[in-house]
Amino acid sequence: MSAKQVADWMVAEMGDSHWLYQESIVHKISQKWGKEYVYFNQSGNPAIAKPVLREFRKLTEETLVWERGERAWRPRKSHDKRRSVES
């Protein structure tokens, strides 16, 4: 297993859906891939391991947007700002 494989699976889980909720997907990751790919953040919320999120962002930076208030990803729209390229 690798972070890339988990990220690829997350993209497939998004499919044609309009939202991919972190709380839901983190439980699925834990069950399917193991607890090493999830953790509890400082607020006590279940979260996806950073290496998985890095891979997921690489795969979806042009197609999905993180909605902080919803704690979910959704398809990118034309009015959404692009992330600046980090060096």
Side-chain angles (χ1 to χ4, degrees):
M1 313 294 166
S2 72
K4 171 80 166 82
Q5 288 173 303
V6 177
D8 286 337
W9 175 81
M10 287 175 62
V11 170
E13 283 292 295
M14 179 72 179
D16 293 331
S17 174
H18 294 288
W19 294 90
L20 183 66
Y21 289 91
Q22 179 173 318
E23 188 171 346
S24 174
I25 201 72
V26 77
H27 291 295
K28 290 180 182 180
I29 290 170
S30 179
Q31 291 172 345
K32 182 171 178 66
W33 300 95
K35 294 191 183 290
E36 69 244 44
Y37 296 105
V38 299
Y39 71 101
F40 286 91
N41 64 21
Q42 292 177 346
S43 300
N45 297 315
I48 300 164
K50 303 240 186 270
V52 174
L53 286 179
R54 277 193 293 276
E55 294 296 332
F56 185 71
R57 282 187 200 114
K58 287 179 193 176
L59 295 169
T60 63
E61 64 187 341
E62 296 297 319
T63 58
L64 298 181
V65 174
W66 173 251
E67 286 283 349
R68 186 178 186 145
E70 291 287 329
R71 295 186 54 213
W73 292 270
R74 64 159 173 83
R76 182 178 294 280
K77 297 178 182 172
S78 61
H79 66 272
D80 291 319
K81 293 181 181 178
R82 298 273 193 238
R83 280 183 52 199
S84 60
V85 177
E86 299 173 31
S87 47

